[in-house]
């Protein structure tokens, strides 16, 4: 626990204002859920807000933290330490974002009258996988591009286009968001899920290889 | 502490970066060789940052490369300082070292504080601990690099071109620090600067094109050029031509003329002089076979 506190404190210091960006976006998502989306009409907009505003920023801290390896002259010194703490880093940010996600879901539940009717199994399974997708996707892109700016630009351009067009952009890339209440046994949904899982696992393996875990 | 490297090889895309390198590291060991000789690769393999293709590494008779392993076994015995050390440019020296201590697993604040103060005192940076990393000179940054290494308490320190790019004052300070560290650590220094090697090292290895061409004491290296170094007095106007035709290793200005030292494999009608380390290095690089002379 003390380790986590010290590591978060250092991240806050090294990232400066950028450290608060995901929390700010979480706040924006929270306000969107509280004041914008209507429970009666388009209740699924709540989940679109979570997917489009909060979850993409789950890559943020780790991208910044691991970008320290890209500073000229730093990799040889920091790499052994970062490898040693890799699982811990993933866990501490994974837990932090999961907690923030759960709070948003609770707010959606409370707003929906306290019932579980607003939640469906597919959405509840989709959101954590999407969180992992961004967590590992950010790192995978960082190791590929070796640039924080390029990594974040790719992630956010992709997300914005997907969300604005509600996944109908027609661009030849995967559509991983769910914009309508999912229907069980929908073949499109199965395809989406399979792709999302496979991509997330592939990116996690790529990152693990880059960090020399195997 | 003694490190034995046997038949070490590193191949990248069918190109031999290191080819059957065997050396025994003890005291302060100087690794010299031209650019691209494989010095940095060797250092990085020893530091566990690069793979090796074949070979064994023993530290005090204990194997550190297991069968079929491509990396040296993770250990805390070896610390490596890269040539351009720089981490967390916007953070102060103390905070950087404090974070490194946390990453090393030291949770207790008082313990971290003590280790940082000790390390900073050794590298003579106690007064600079609140400066940001990007406000430090190259030499100071490297001293921070040494401080973070010392906190791990390694027994073997690897320095890649430690004095390259430093001004004269910093270079002298850094050299003295390395000499001081050599009293309690085994040190490997890779360098182009033969003077530094001469000043610091008790043993020297010469790598060219991935192969070890020489290993021995500085005296043994000097001996390799025995009989190939000449002294000559020349007029200033004749110097240009001499520089074009001969390997001039030193020029001293006298009142009436210039005194030059020349390394030559061809016999010259000039007095021979006792060779220096640089001339020994030239003899090895030029492939002069003077072994056992």
């Amino acid at each position: 626990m003390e380790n986590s506190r010290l590591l978060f404190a250092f991240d806050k210091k090294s990232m400066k204002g950028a450290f608060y960006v995901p929390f700010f976006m979480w706040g924006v998502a929270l306000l969107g859920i509280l004041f914008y989306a209507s429970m009666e009409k388009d209740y699924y907009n709540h989940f679109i807000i979570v997917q489009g505003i909060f979850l993409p920023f789950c890559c943020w801290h780790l991208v910044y933290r691991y970008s320290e390896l890209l500073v000229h002259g730093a990799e040889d010194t920091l790499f052994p330490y970062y490898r040693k703490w890799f699982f811990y880093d993933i866990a501490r940010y994974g837990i932090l974002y999961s907690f923030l996600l759960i709070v948003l879901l609770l707010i959606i539940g409370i707003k929906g009258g306290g019932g579980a009717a607003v939640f469906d199994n597919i959405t509840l399974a989709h959101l954590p996988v999407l969180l992992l997708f961004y967590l590992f996707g950010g790192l995978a892109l960082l190791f590929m591009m070796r640039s924080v700016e390029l990594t974040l630009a790719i992630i956010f351009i992709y997300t914005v286009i997907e969300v604005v067009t509600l996944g109908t952009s027609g661009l030849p890339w995967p559509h991983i968001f769910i914009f309508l209440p999912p229907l069980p046994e929908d073949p499109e949904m199965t395809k989406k899920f399979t792709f999302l899982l496979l991509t997330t696992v592939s990116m996690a393996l790529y990152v693990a290889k880059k960090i020399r875990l195997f | 502490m003694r490190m034995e490297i046997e038949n070490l090889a590193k191949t990248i895309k069918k190109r031999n970066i290191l080819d059957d390198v065997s050396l025994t590291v003890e005291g302060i060991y100087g690794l010299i060789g031209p650019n691209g000789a494989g010095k940095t690769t060797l250092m990085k393999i020893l530091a566990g940052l690069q793979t090796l293709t074949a070979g064994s590494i023993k530290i005090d008779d204990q194997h550190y490369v297991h069968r079929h392993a491509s990396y040296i076994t993770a250990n805390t015995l070896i610390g490596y300082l890269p040539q351009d050390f720089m981490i967390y440019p916007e953070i102060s020296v103390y905070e950087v070292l404090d974070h490194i201590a946390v990453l090393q697993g030291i949770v207790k604040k008082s313990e971290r504080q003590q280790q940082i103060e000790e390390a900073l005192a050794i590298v003579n940076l106690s007064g600079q601990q609140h400066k940001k990393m990007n406000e430090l000179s190259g030499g100071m940054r490297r001293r921070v690099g040494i401080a973070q290494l010392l906190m791990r308490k390694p027994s073997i320190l690897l320095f890649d071109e430690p004095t390259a790019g430093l001004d004269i004052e910093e270079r002298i300070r850094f050299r003295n620090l390395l000499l001081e560290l050599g009293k309690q650590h085994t040190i490997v220094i890779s360098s182009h600067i033969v003077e530094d090697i001469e000043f610091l090292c008790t043993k020297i290895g010469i790598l060219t094109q991935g192969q070890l061409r020489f290993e021995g004491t500085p005296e043994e290296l000097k001996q390799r050029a025995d009989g190939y170094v000449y002294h000559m007095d020349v007029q200033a106007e004749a110097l240009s031509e001499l520089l074009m035709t001969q390997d001039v290793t030193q020029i001293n200005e006298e009142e009436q003329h210039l005194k030059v030292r020349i390394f030559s494999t061809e016999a010259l009608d000039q007095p021979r002089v006792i060779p220096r380390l640089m001339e020994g290095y030239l003899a090895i690089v030029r492939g002069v076979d003077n072994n056992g002379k």
Side-chain angles (χ1 to χ4, degrees), chain A residues 2-3 5-7 10-11 13-16 65 68 71-85 212, chain B residues 44 48-50 71 74 80 82 84-91 95-96 99-100 102-105 107 112 132 148 152:
Chain A
E2 178 64 4
N3 274 335
R5 192 189 66 77
L6 292 167
L7 290 172
F10 185 80
D11 288 351
K13 197 173 287 276
S14 62
M15 293 176 205
K16 296 179 181 162
R65 177 160 178 78
E68 296 290 354
V71 173
H72 181 70
E75 187 169 5
D76 290 339
T77 302
L78 292 180
F79 185 83
Y81 294 126
Y82 277 44
R83 186 177 55 185
K84 182 180 156 192
W85 287 89
R212 269 183 31 208
Chain B
K44 287 193 174 185
L49 294 165
Q50 281 197 12
Y71 285 98
Y80 168 67
D84 305 311
F85 172 81
M86 170 57 115
I87 52 174
Y88 306 119
E90 295 291 330
I91 307 286
E95 287 163 338
V96 163
H99 182 57
I100 295 288
V102 171
L103 294 177
Q104 286 170 1
V107 179
R112 291 202 308 272
K132 284 183 182 175
Q148 61 87 22
R152 274 175 47 197

Side-chain angles (χ1 to χ4, degrees), chain A residues 63 67 70 137-155 206 210:
Chain A
V63 165
S67 70
L70 308 180
L139 282 179
L141 272 174
L142 181 74
F143 289 134
M144 265 184 249
M145 302 292 157
R146 299 188 71 79
S147 153
V148 181
E149 293 79 11
L150 212 51
T151 298
L152 295 177
I154 289 172
I155 289 172
Y206 175 76
K210 281 286 167 188

Side-chain angles (χ1 to χ4, degrees), chain B residues 28 81 122-124 138-140 142-143 146 157 159 161-164 166-183 187 189-201 277:
Chain B
I28 303 183
L81 184 70
I122 293 171
V123 299
N124 198 20
M140 282 182 185
R142 278 177 223 188
R143 281 190 273 152
I146 294 181
L157 297 170
F159 296 106
E161 303 280 356
T163 56
L166 301 185
D167 63 42
I168 294 169
E169 207 183 345
E170 269 290 6
R171 200 176 126 212
I172 290 168
R173 191 180 292 140
F174 206 86
R175 247 171 31 173
N176 292 342
L177 173 62
L178 295 184
L179 204 58
E180 197 59 33
L181 290 170
K183 289 176 185 167
I187 292 181
I189 297 165
S190 97
S191 184
H192 285 103
I193 305 168
V194 178
E195 287 163 46
D196 288 349
I197 297 290
E198 191 161 20
F199 181 81
L200 292 164
C201 299
L277 206 66

Side-chain angles (χ1 to χ4, degrees), chain B residues 112-125:
Chain B
R112 291 202 308 272
Q113 199 169 345
Q114 189 195 337
Q115 291 231 16
I116 293 167
E117 280 166 8
E118 278 174 18
L120 285 175
I122 293 171
V123 299
N124 198 20
L125 276 178

Side-chain angles (χ1 to χ4, degrees), chain B residues 229-249:
Chain B
V229 187
Y230 300 87
H231 162 250
M232 198 186 280
D233 291 334
V234 292
Q235 295 304 311
E237 52 271 20
L239 183 64
S240 301
E241 200 190 329
L242 193 67
L243 287 169
M244 300 287 277
T245 53
Q246 297 288 351
D247 285 324
V248 176
T249 57

Side-chain angles (χ1 to χ4, degrees), chain B residues 15-236:
Chain B
R15 196 176 141 236
N16 292 335
I17 309 296
L18 291 172
D19 185 9
D20 206 23
V21 172
S22 297
L23 42 94
T24 306
V25 174
E26 51 201 339
I28 303 183
Y29 193 102
L31 203 55
I32 44 179
N35 281 332
K39 304 185 298 292
T40 299
T41 304
L42 176 58
M43 293 266 198
K44 287 193 174 185
I45 288 172
L46 298 178
L49 294 165
Q50 281 197 12
T51 56
L52 52 103
T53 310
S56 82
I57 299 166
K58 284 193 283 183
I59 301 173
D60 280 351
D61 293 326
Q62 201 178 333
H63 281 279
Y64 275 78
V65 177
H66 295 302
R67 218 185 227 192
H68 306 306
S70 48
Y71 285 98
I72 187 172
T73 310
N75 65 82
T76 53
L77 293 174
I78 301 174
Y80 168 67
L81 184 70
Q83 189 179 343
D84 305 311
F85 172 81
M86 170 57 115
I87 52 174
Y88 306 119
E90 295 291 330
I91 307 286
S92 75
V93 170
Y94 187 91
E95 287 163 338
V96 163
L97 294 178
D98 190 52
H99 182 57
I100 295 288
V102 171
L103 294 177
Q104 286 170 1
I106 309 168
V107 179
K108 222 171 156 190
K109 192 177 178 180
S110 57
E111 200 181 329
R112 291 202 308 272
Q113 199 169 345
Q114 189 195 337
Q115 291 231 16
I116 293 167
E117 280 166 8
E118 278 174 18
L120 285 175
I122 293 171
V123 299
N124 198 20
L125 276 178
S126 299
Q128 313 289 333
Q129 54 181 294
H130 299 300
K131 273 194 176 168
K132 284 183 182 175
M133 286 296 288
N134 59 10
E135 292 169 355
L136 300 178
S137 66
M140 282 182 185
R141 273 210 310 267
R142 278 177 223 188
R143 281 190 273 152
V144 176
I146 294 181
Q148 61 87 22
L149 283 183
L150 294 179
M151 282 161 48
R152 274 175 47 197
K153 305 205 184 306
S155 307
I156 300 167
L157 297 170
L158 313 175
F159 296 106
D160 194 4
E161 303 280 356
T163 56
L166 301 185
D167 63 42
I168 294 169
E169 207 183 345
E170 269 290 6
R171 200 176 126 212
I172 290 168
R173 191 180 292 140
F174 206 86
R175 247 171 31 173
N176 292 342
L177 173 62
L178 295 184
L179 204 58
E180 197 59 33
L181 290 170
K183 289 176 185 167
Q184 288 172 7
H185 300 83
T186 300
I187 292 181
V188 184
I189 297 165
S190 97
S191 184
H192 285 103
I193 305 168
V194 178
E195 287 163 46
D196 288 349
I197 297 290
E198 191 161 20
F199 181 81
L200 292 164
C201 299
T202 52
K203 199 172 177 184
I204 292 168
I206 296 179
L207 265 181
T208 62
Q209 294 173 324
Q211 290 183 328
L212 189 76
R213 306 287 181 187
F214 169 87
E215 188 182 42
T217 63
E219 276 312 309
E220 285 166 344
L221 180 56
K222 287 176 194 170
Q223 283 302 309
R224 291 298 184 100
D226 195 17
Y228 298 105
V229 187
Y230 300 87
H231 162 250
M232 198 186 280
D233 291 334
V234 292
Q235 295 304 311

